[in-house]
Amino acid sequence: MTREKTDFWVGLFVLLGGIALLFLALRAGNMSSFSFAPTYQVQAYFDNLGGLKVRAPVKSSGVVVGRVAAIGFDNERFQAVATLDLEQQYQFPTDSSASILTSGLLGEQYIGLTPGGEDKNLAQGNQIQYTQSAVVLEELISKFLYSSADKGGSAPAEPAPPTLTPPGAQQ
């Protein structure tokens, strides 16, 4: 009887360990939040996607309203294109804008949707017209360094301060 009890507890422990490993694998692959709600696809063109990845969240007002379905490159426009799966329960006007944002200073990137004011809503296959590309930290640092170097190298030299002579001394 004790051997059967031990086998049961070992089996339960192994099963719980397997479930924990599956959970960690889904979290690492950003797949822990499956949604089986019906979706519609829209596209957005960006000059720079930064570190945006497939399955990254699409948020509006902090609420996840969809996921990035695919990322590609348009050879005619020479821009990156992100295909977004938006849940049908969330409808956005056709003049909505999409921005690539970052969670925190160095966190994961996601797409933020800002609703517009049109009466007509986005539908399957539509394109988001107003987009803002990702802010790349390395580009900001290089612009800052180059601009400060330009200012330091092109500034005129200041004249030497006038020297004061004591009273009664000859000049």
Side-chain angles (χ1 to χ4, degrees):
M1 183 88 173
T2 57
R3 177 161 170 82
E4 289 176 6
K5 248 186 195 179
T6 305
D7 288 347
F8 170 77
W9 286 111
V10 168
L12 183 65
F13 182 73
V14 169
L15 179 66
L16 290 175
I19 290 172
L21 284 176
L22 179 66
F23 174 75
L24 287 174
L26 289 175
R27 291 290 288 183
N30 199 16
M31 297 180 154
S32 61
S33 57
F34 280 119
S35 175
F36 297 105
T39 61
Y40 61 99
Q41 283 191 344
V42 296
Q43 292 184 332
Y45 290 86
F46 296 94
D47 290 328
N48 189 344
L49 287 176
L52 189 72
K53 294 180 175 48
V54 174
R55 300 278 311 144
V58 178
K59 296 181 181 181
S60 182
S61 300
V63 176
V64 176
V65 297
R67 295 267 172 199
V68 175
I71 293 174
F73 186 76
D74 187 343
N75 285 325
E76 294 175 9
R77 295 173 70 160
F78 300 106
Q79 287 183 311
V81 59
T83 304
L84 314 177
D85 277 340
L86 302 178
E87 294 183 18
Q88 281 187 350
Q89 65 180 343
Y90 304 113
Q91 297 294 316
F92 292 92
T94 55
D95 64 339
S96 297
S97 64
S99 304
I100 298 178
L101 304 171
T102 305
S103 297
L105 185 61
L106 298 173
E108 73 170 347
Q109 290 189 318
Y110 65 95
I111 293 185
L113 284 181
T114 305
E118 284 286 326
D119 292 331
K120 189 176 177 186
N121 288 333
L122 289 170
Q124 175 72 26
N126 284 148
Q127 177 185 331
I128 297 176
Q129 298 295 324
Y130 307 107
T131 61
Q132 181 179 357
S133 294
V135 176
V136 181
L137 191 59
E138 291 85 6
E139 287 180 9
L140 288 176
I141 292 171
S142 67
K143 284 181 184 178
F144 173 74
L145 291 176
Y146 286 129
S147 68
S148 63
D150 286 344
K151 287 179 186 174
S154 63
E158 290 186 27
T163 56
L164 297 175
T165 56
Q170 290 186 349
Q171 292 184 350

